[in-house]
Amino acid sequence: MRIPTPGDIAYICKQIFETFGIQARPFDQDEIAAFLDGSAPADPPVIRTSDFLESFLIVRLPAGQQASAALVIGPSLFAVLPDKTALGVLNDNDVPNAKHAEWLRHYASLPVIDSMKLLHAGLLIHYLIHGEKLDIDAVLSHNLSRRPAGITADMIDISLSRRRENSLLHHDPAEEKDLMQHIRNGNKEEVLKAHASIQVHKLGTLSKRSHLRNRKNLAISAITLATRAAIDGGLLWEVAYTLSDLHIQHIEELKDISQVERALIEAFADFADRVRQNKERKGSGTVALCRNIIFNRLYEDITLEHLAAVTGLNASYLSQLFKKEVGTPVSEYIQRERIEEAKKLLELTDMPLADIGARLQFNDQSYFTKVFKKHAGMTPKQFRSSRNSAAAKRHNKDRQPVASTRE
């Protein structure tokens, strides 16, 4: 195949931008060596991700008519980066606050291309340049093999020898299995008993530098397992993942080991309680799937036809099955769930009533008020007022001075 000229490479770069909306330019030997920490560009395309979560696709260029060593395509992002996540990344990299706005604009300007699409783009670019067809599985394996190996076989062997010699064996996995089964069953009392029986010193070491960090890591690992167990037990997966996020975020803020232990127990109890509450509703797997979809898409337009398409059932049959198991028609259940969500927004936010109704798919304010009153026994305005009054009373009660015991 003819070796591409600098003009060919410039044309390919232009077409990459026009097709994918992503910048591409050739790097010379010194530039690419610095970019790849001294290593040479690989034959198959590789993806490198920066400390700032920017992704770069690197495609080697053939030696010949151009001095460039590789084509670098990027930066891009694998997924949209929420501002909160982006600020966390900037803080991790010690970026001054004065530069945050500039970086947020930079993130917002980057194209979003997931890793598989980016690798497939690399296969196409490699073919245009080298005339060689690559297998995606081989490229994936190559990208994996280029990751630095943090753990060697020797490290595993010596660690196992030391643990056995000093009787520092890990906990019996049956204990962990029992604990997770109790979460699946929604049995909080048994969860607490099972947790109390596990010896903390047998849970392993996930951080050698800090005992607090070690306990936090162990707690996070346990919550991850509990999340999966709760989902297996029928808990709506969005509820389970949200619980997991909140409990882990809480644990990360703690400064004391005893607080971490207490927070972990509370997380286990929370999962078990919610699984139990969910089981009390009962219902088949089909209805559980419908409830999950409704929960996740409460702010969107949900139709019986969509639920029927997802479940693979006839709409009429699904409607009858849902009413039989839940006790209400699908449309009324959706309406009721939206009113419950509206209650939370009325109590926990200052969002205007009209905005709440519109967000939850009610046609107009009067219709929202009518439906809300039907389910809650009062109008949205009355509900918010009653909750504000109750909150004010609790606040005033908490602030009352303690009576003096002196005469």
Side-chain angles (χ1 to χ4, degrees):
M1 180 181 178
R2 180 177 68 87
I3 296 175
T5 66
D8 295 330
I9 299 302
Y11 178 79
I12 290 173
C13 289
K14 181 177 185 298
Q15 296 310 313
I16 290 171
F17 180 77
E18 295 296 335
T19 304
F20 301 103
I22 186 171
Q23 297 288 344
R25 77 174 183 88
F27 275 41
D28 62 30
Q29 192 65 49
D30 291 338
E31 288 177 315
I32 200 65
F35 190 81
L36 295 176
D37 299 324
S39 60
D43 282 341
V46 294
I47 293 176
R48 289 296 175 90
T49 303
S50 74
D51 292 340
F52 292 88
L53 300 187
E54 302 162 300
S55 301
F56 296 88
L57 175 68
I58 303 163
V59 180
R60 180 184 61 82
L61 293 175
Q65 298 180 31
Q66 73 281 321
S68 303
L71 206 60
V72 176
I73 299 96
S76 63
L77 296 172
F78 288 150
V80 175
L81 203 60
D83 285 354
K84 187 175 181 180
T85 303
L87 291 173
V89 172
L90 299 179
N91 289 331
D92 289 342
N93 286 279
D94 299 319
V95 175
N97 291 340
K99 294 284 187 179
H100 284 186
E102 180 182 345
W103 268 95
L104 291 178
R105 287 193 294 273
H106 169 67
Y107 282 130
S109 71
L110 295 181
V112 176
I113 307 176
D114 67 49
S115 58
M116 284 301 296
K117 286 186 178 179
L118 198 57
L119 277 180
H120 278 291
L123 298 186
L124 175 60
I125 296 165
H126 182 91
Y127 181 74
L128 289 173
I129 294 172
H130 298 276
E132 179 186 15
K133 297 177 182 179
L134 297 176
D135 181 71
I136 185 62
D137 292 334
V139 174
L140 284 169
S141 297
H142 180 77
N143 272 264
L144 181 63
S145 67
R146 290 184 63 84
R147 296 176 185 173
I151 307 297
T152 66
D154 289 346
M155 292 171 64
I156 295 173
D157 288 340
I158 194 64
S159 181
L160 283 170
S161 296
R162 288 172 178 169
R163 294 190 73 87
R164 286 182 291 174
E165 179 184 1
N166 296 286
S167 298
L168 296 175
L169 302 179
H170 285 81
H171 66 286
D172 186 337
E175 298 175 352
E176 177 185 290
K177 185 177 180 180
D178 286 343
L179 174 59
M180 295 306 146
Q181 186 58 47
H182 295 317
I183 290 177
R184 290 187 193 93
N185 295 337
N187 192 329
K188 181 171 70 175
E189 290 72 20
E190 292 300 323
V191 165
L192 299 180
K193 290 178 186 176
H195 177 264
S197 68
I198 294 177
Q199 300 179 55
V200 175
H201 69 277
K202 290 189 174 183
L203 293 177
T205 303
L206 302 185
S207 174
K208 295 189 292 186
R209 294 186 178 182
S210 165
H211 190 45
L212 176 61
R213 182 69 263 167
N214 180 60
R215 293 295 287 274
K216 285 185 177 183
N217 289 346
L218 288 169
I220 291 169
S221 300
I223 289 174
T224 301
L225 293 174
T227 303
R228 302 300 187 273
I231 294 173
D232 289 344
L235 187 62
L236 302 179
W237 63 72
E238 189 60 30
V239 173
Y241 289 137
T242 300
L243 280 177
S244 174
D245 291 348
L246 293 175
H247 281 295
I248 290 174
Q249 289 167 16
H250 172 59
I251 284 173
E252 282 290 356
E253 298 297 321
L254 300 178
K255 307 297 183 184
D256 182 82
I257 290 174
S258 62
Q259 292 178 330
V260 172
E261 183 63 18
R262 179 62 186 170
L264 177 58
I265 294 172
E266 290 174 351
F268 284 157
D270 199 358
F271 278 114
D273 277 339
R274 290 178 181 269
V275 169
R276 176 184 53 77
Q277 293 165 7
N278 188 69
K279 285 182 179 296
E280 289 173 353
R281 297 183 180 185
K282 300 182 179 180
S284 63
T286 298
V287 169
L289 175 60
C290 289
R291 289 178 50 238
N292 221 320
I293 295 170
I294 292 168
F295 181 88
N296 291 338
R297 298 187 57 184
L298 211 53
Y299 289 80
E300 305 173 36
D301 184 28
I302 313 169
T303 64
L304 175 62
E305 288 69 27
H306 173 75
L307 295 175
V310 172
T311 58
L313 297 176
N314 174 273
S316 177
Y317 175 75
L318 176 62
S319 177
Q320 295 173 18
L321 178 66
F322 193 96
K323 185 174 181 180
K324 177 183 177 181
E325 294 190 9
V326 179
T328 59
V330 172
S331 58
E332 186 174 335
Y333 177 83
I334 294 172
Q335 200 176 74
R336 187 182 69 197
E337 290 298 298
R338 283 178 171 152
I339 295 303
E340 290 302 313
E341 184 73 4
K343 288 180 181 179
K344 296 174 186 175
L345 297 178
L346 288 166
E347 184 173 1
L348 303 176
T349 76
D350 295 324
M351 196 182 298
L353 305 184
D355 287 356
I356 293 175
R359 286 172 184 244
L360 290 169
Q361 299 293 315
F362 290 99
N363 298 331
D364 54 52
Q365 181 63 29
S366 61
Y367 179 62
F368 173 50
T369 299
K370 177 182 178 181
V371 175
F372 191 97
K373 188 172 183 180
K374 171 187 172 183
H375 289 277
M378 62 181 78
T379 66
K381 185 175 181 180
Q382 291 169 337
F383 180 86
R384 172 170 275 174
S385 178
S386 67
R387 288 301 186 272
N388 289 342
S389 297
K393 288 179 181 178
R394 287 195 300 270
H395 179 69
N396 291 333
K397 182 179 179 181
D398 291 340
R399 294 188 58 187
Q400 285 184 7
V402 178
S404 174
T405 57
R406 292 186 300 176
E407 296 292 338

